[in-house]
Each structure stands twice: as structure tokens, then as C-alpha cells.
Amino acid sequence: MGSSTPESEEKNEIQVERIQNVADKGGVLENQPAAGLPAEFAHLDEKKILRKMDLRLIPVLAVLYLLSFLDRGNIGNANIEGLSDDLHLTPDQYNWCLTVFFFTYAAFEVPSNLMLKKLRPSRWLPTIMVAWGVVMTLMGIVRNYHGLLATRIFLGVAEAGLFPGVAYYLTMWYCRHEIQLRQAMFFSAASVAGAFSGLLAFAISKMHGVGGLEGWRWIFILEGLLTVIVACVSFFLLYDFPETASFLTEEERAFVVYRLKYQGQVAGKGATNGAAVTKVAESEEFQWKYVWQAFTDWQIYVNLFVYWGVVCPLYGISLFLPTIIKDLNYKNSTAQLMTVPIYIVASILAVFSAFLSDKVGKRSPFIISLMCVMAAGFGMCIGSNNPKVVYGGVFIVACALYPAFPGVIAWLSNNLAGSYKRSVGMALQIGIGNLGGAMASNFYRKKDKPRFILGHALELGFIGVGIVAAIILLLSYRRINHDRDRKIREGADRLHTEEELAAMGDKAVTFRYMY
């Protein structure tokens, strides 16, 4: 079925290759994903291969992330069905139950991403799913504040590996000019989960009294059991790496691996027409220095502010949207159902925006523009007490932040070279970045309802900081690329061996940042 045993250690070795510069362009630098493809790949249909990968990978990953987002955010739906009242929670205690999830979630993301590659995705991802499904089910039988707090802590531990793991997993299959569309396709499952969670919670809450349990308890129990069942099935549906994918032919596997090795690199003009040009492959072997490179890379920490500018509104919306709508004088069932169109439209826009971003090969224009739209939406929420205007503002925010989120993830992954550095860097971004969820959990206080002006204003502040950070990244990447173009023209790439350039990753003079 899906998984297969990884092949020998050969796939972890640095591989470099000299290819013939058959298309001399007068010294103009090239930055193409598969520039200089060997002749043996010329007959392969790249689009057909990508479609095969999409059909085998994306639906399964979308279902996994849908369940993750569903299980993480269903506490908001359970709360409007009476969780706080039945457990006698104060507003501060409820917010703490939301917040502690993110502490363990952030702490375990880097170790989980390192384990993913060592233990194989087809084993690691389903295993952590079973763990969080069990925790979610147990959440349905808690009797007090301390029980709920403990289950939320362990839910963070178990769920930590799913999103950064899947985001990194996709970079092991797709080139950087293709990745945002795939990130958006599986992330849009979160949008669907937002709609689905409202519908599901509305239906499950009707089980109030069955088995002597409240309706909100059944939300946790049934959704947790569903997660365990899907996790068991996914053991047989997930594939590990392109090198071992049984649905690809031997030639197709070699082609996919080749494309991934040489992405992000440039080739300058040779000494004479037809001269051999060095292409530097991406480093694949594990060394602790790559982990350290990720922890000390400036771009990850600047990107974190962009991430916070998107993830704080994301968690604010996902955790509190039903409450915000309910407090606009709509009843519970109506509040649940009014979240549905918001998430459906946001899902469609996320995929469309990612398609355009990949097509033009740009990230920052889309991210900055979408964050400005988010700011306008929160401005509507702050400036009016008309329920229809506030609902419209929240609608606008969601329709901008869901397309922006996969863009921020893709942007950093595009600019980290070296498999293990990318693994750790993406986990740092998502792990530390998701502490924004801990902050957002406390933005919408019960005493601020129904307008929640403080919460909306804080979201607006994070968006502003994110826009500034995105502009800093844009200008920095452009300057560095221009500087490397000049150095290549001066022959700086010939001062290092191919192995040295591969080990340098995105710091190599041959690497170009995407912005």
C-alpha cells in the first residue's frame, strides 16, 4: 500500500554533478527549478508526475490536518455548549486551558521534526495521531479545571509534530516554486474544519443526556475516537520519500529526486561557450551543525514576526469566532452555523492565492497585501457596534488570513537550503510562532464582550508588526541576491568545492532567496 522501507544510506550523501551548459545565455544568471535536466528525463511529463503526487499525498494529509485543527479548536465549540458552566470555570481558568496547549506544542516541534525523518513519516505521523486522539477522548470525561488543564497540556505534546511535520514533509516532494499551492491545499482543510466543526458541534450537542453525559462531552469523545480510527487507516496510506514511492516508476523517482536536489541554485556563464557548469546539490546528511545553523539564522527570527502577524489572528478567529458571533445576540445554533460560509470562502481563496503566488514565483507581495486586508477587517470590527458590520469585518479577516498563512510557511521553507536545516528551521518557525496562539488565547476576555475592542486592537498591532517584518525580509533578500549576482560574475563560486557549497546551504553564493 502506502509506506515502504527506505533504501540505503546513499540518499543521505551529498551528491553533486557537473552538467553541460547547453543553453548559454550570455552570462545571464539562471534560477530555474530544473535547469540543465539530463537527457534521460527529457521524455517525462512533469505535470503528469505532479498530478500523481498530488492525488496520492494531498488528500491524506488534508484529512490528517483537518482532524488536528478540529481537535485543537473544538474547545471553543464545547464552551458555548456549556463546558465552562458545567466545570465551574472562571474566565481566567478557561483562558489558561487554551494557553497551556501552546507551551508544550511549541516545545516538542523541533524534536518531532527530527524524529520524522529518522523514523519515517508513514510511522511517526499516525503514531502521534493515535496519541492525541486518545487524549481528546479522555477530555470528554474530565470533571474539573485541573483535569481539563492536564489534558490540554498533553494534547499539545501529541499534536506538536503534525503541522510542522506535514509542512516539512511536503518540501521533500515538491520544489519551492510549487510548494505554496500544496501547502494551501492541505491547509485549506483547516478552513473546512472550521466550517465542519461548527456543523458537527451543532449536531453532536443534540446528544445531551445520552449516557448521562452533557452534549459538550460527546464533542470531545466522538471527535477523539474518529481521530484514532483515521490514524490507524493512515498507517497504510502514507508514503515516506520520493526515493521509495511505489506509485512512481524508477525513472519518475529519479526525476523527482533530481529536481529537489538542484532547486534554488543559479549557474553563471562558463569560461567559454559549452563549458561545464557546476550545479550544487542540496545537503541531505545529518550533522549537528545544520541544527545549529537553523537556530542562528537571522531570517527565521524576522520571519517569526511575520508569522505572528498571521497566526495570532488565526487562533483568535478559530478559538473565539463562535463566541464573538454568539455575543452579537445570536443564539448558539445560529452562531455555529454562521461560521460556515466564512471558512468555506476562505478555503477557496487560500488555494487560488497560492496558485497565483507559485505561478509568478513571488511571496512577499501576496503576504503584505493580504495582511493589509486583515488590518482593514479588524478596523471594521473596532469601528462599529453593528452586528452585520462586525460579522463582515470578521469575514474579511478570515478570507485574508487563510491565504496568507500557507504563504508565510512556504516563504521560509523556500529560503532554507539543506534538508535538516529546513526541518529544524520550519519547526522553530511554527513552534515559537505558535506561542502567538498562547497570546491570542488571552486577547478575547469575557469582560470585554460583546465588542472585544482590546482583542481586535491587539490583533491589529501584531498585523502591523508583521507587515514591517515582511518588508524587512523583502529588502534584505533582494540586496543579498544582487550581491551574490555580482560575486558570481566575479567568479566567487569557483573559490569553493561543490561539497563546500552544498554544506553552506542557503548561505552559498550560488543560492538565491525567493521574495
Side-chain angles (χ1 to χ4, degrees):
M1 295 279 287
S3 57
S4 54
T5 304
E7 294 175 351
S8 68
E9 294 294 325
E10 294 176 1
K11 75 184 183 71
N12 288 327
E13 296 174 358
I14 298 176
Q15 300 188 41
V16 295
E17 186 172 317
R18 290 187 177 272
I19 63 171
Q20 193 69 19
N21 188 14
V22 295
D24 189 334
K25 301 197 176 183
V28 178
L29 296 176
E30 303 173 57
N31 187 12
Q32 299 174 353
L37 276 175
E40 61 264 30
F41 296 143
H43 66 287
L44 295 177
D45 186 340
E46 183 177 43
K47 291 184 178 179
K48 180 180 177 181
I49 295 172
L50 287 174
R51 282 195 298 270
K52 288 172 68 173
M53 289 162 52
D54 289 344
L55 290 173
R56 297 297 185 112
L57 302 177
I58 302 301
V60 178
L61 297 178
V63 171
L64 302 190
Y65 190 60
L66 186 151
L67 291 171
S68 170
F69 206 82
L70 191 69
D71 291 346
R72 188 187 321 167
N74 60 12
I75 191 171
N77 293 315
N79 193 48
I80 68 171
E81 297 297 339
L83 178 147
S84 289
D85 293 335
D86 292 337
L87 296 184
H88 308 292
L89 302 181
T90 67
D92 287 342
Q93 287 177 328
Y94 174 72
N95 281 346
W96 264 113
C97 290
L98 299 181
T99 302
V100 293
F101 167 88
F102 296 101
F103 295 148
T104 50
Y105 188 84
F108 283 86
E109 292 201 5
V110 170
S112 180
N113 259 21
L114 291 174
M115 295 290 286
L116 175 74
K117 191 149 187 178
K118 288 291 185 182
L119 298 184
R120 302 165 51 190
S122 65
R123 295 293 174 262
W124 182 246
L125 295 178
T127 298
I128 62 177
M129 277 191 73
V130 170
W132 96 60
V134 170
V135 173
M136 177 58 57
T137 303
L138 294 175
M139 197 179 296
I141 61 173
V142 298
R143 295 295 172 184
N144 52 44
Y145 164 65
H146 295 99
L148 183 63
L149 190 72
T151 52
R152 289 288 294 179
I153 290 172
F154 284 106
L155 186 65
V157 174
E159 275 202 48
L162 195 279
F163 181 65
V166 171
Y168 168 59
Y169 173 74
L170 286 172
T171 68
M172 294 188 282
W173 289 83
Y174 295 98
C175 290
R176 65 183 194 161
H177 67 288
E178 304 156 348
I179 193 66
Q180 185 175 338
L181 177 59
R182 277 73 191 184
Q183 298 277 15
M185 288 166 67
F186 98 85
F187 178 71
S188 64
S191 303
V192 177
F196 185 60
S197 65
L199 290 171
L200 189 61
F202 177 63
I204 295 177
S205 66
K206 300 300 181 184
M207 294 180 64
H208 183 81
V210 175
L213 299 176
E214 297 89 344
W216 63 265
R217 294 186 184 276
W218 283 112
I219 293 175
F220 292 140
I221 292 170
L222 294 184
E223 292 180 6
L225 291 175
L226 177 62
T227 297
V228 173
I229 293 170
V230 173
C232 294
V233 174
S234 66
F235 272 109
F236 305 99
L237 297 179
L238 281 172
Y239 295 84
D240 290 316
F241 308 105
E243 297 93 328
T244 60
S246 59
F247 66 90
L248 297 175
T249 66
E250 185 175 348
E251 279 185 320
E252 289 170 342
R253 289 196 291 268
F255 171 71
V256 172
V257 170
Y258 186 92
R259 293 166 72 246
L260 293 168
K261 281 182 192 173
Y262 298 110
Q263 61 177 328
Q265 302 291 331
V266 297
K269 180 181 178 182
T272 60
N273 287 347
V277 173
T278 300
K279 292 214 70 176
V280 180
E282 185 172 86
S283 177
E284 289 286 334
E285 86 283 5
F286 176 78
Q287 293 185 35
W288 282 107
K289 71 176 182 179
Y290 298 135
V291 176
W292 178 247
Q293 284 175 4
F295 273 93
T296 56
D297 194 335
W298 66 273
Q299 62 172 317
I300 293 174
Y301 298 100
V302 177
N303 185 280
L304 274 173
F305 289 98
V306 186
Y307 190 90
W308 278 332
V310 176
V311 82
C312 285
L314 173 66
Y315 280 114
I317 291 294
S318 64
L319 292 172
F320 290 98
L321 183 57
T323 302
I324 291 171
I325 295 176
K326 178 188 172 186
D327 287 331
L328 294 176
N329 298 320
Y330 293 103
K331 60 182 181 180
N332 284 9
S333 58
T334 304
Q336 298 280 20
L337 295 175
M338 285 183 69
T339 66
V340 175
I342 294 178
Y343 290 118
I344 295 297
V345 175
S347 174
I348 296 170
L349 291 177
V351 174
F352 180 68
S353 175
F355 171 78
L356 292 180
S357 182
D358 279 348
K359 189 174 181 64
V360 301
K362 299 291 184 182
R363 300 292 182 233
S364 58
F366 292 89
I367 293 170
I368 294 171
S369 299
L370 289 167
M371 293 180 80
C372 290
V373 173
M374 290 162 55
F378 278 116
M380 290 173 60
C381 295
I382 293 172
S384 176
N385 59 0
N386 185 321
K388 293 180 180 179
V389 174
V390 175
Y391 181 79
V394 173
F395 203 118
I396 290 172
V397 169
C399 289
L401 74 86
Y402 276 83
F405 187 76
V408 176
I409 299 294
W411 196 12
L412 182 64
S413 72
N414 291 160
N415 293 324
L416 295 175
S419 181
Y420 277 97
K421 180 181 178 181
R422 185 182 305 115
S423 168
V424 175
M426 293 180 71
L428 280 174
Q429 177 201 34
I430 297 169
I432 300 175
N434 275 330
L435 291 176
M439 294 183 279
S441 300
N442 295 281
F443 287 176
Y444 293 91
R445 303 176 303 178
K446 191 172 183 178
K447 64 183 179 181
D448 295 328
K449 69 178 187 180
R451 295 191 62 188
F452 295 105
I453 290 178
L454 177 62
H456 297 324
L458 289 170
E459 304 284 25
L460 198 56
F462 273 94
I463 292 169
V465 173
I467 292 172
V468 172
I471 293 173
I472 291 173
L473 282 175
L474 163 63
L475 297 177
S476 299
Y477 286 151
R478 180 185 294 170
R479 178 185 58 79
I480 293 170
N481 281 0
H482 288 169
D483 188 50
R484 290 179 182 177
D485 287 346
R486 177 183 56 80
K487 290 180 178 179
I488 285 283
R489 287 192 294 270
E490 295 170 356
D493 56 319
R494 294 191 291 272
L495 300 177
H496 302 278
T497 66
E498 293 91 341
E499 289 81 5
E500 288 172 342
L501 289 170
M504 293 167 69
D506 53 85
K507 304 304 180 186
V509 71
T510 52
F511 185 86
R512 292 297 176 272
Y513 291 113
M514 180 181 282
Y515 56 83

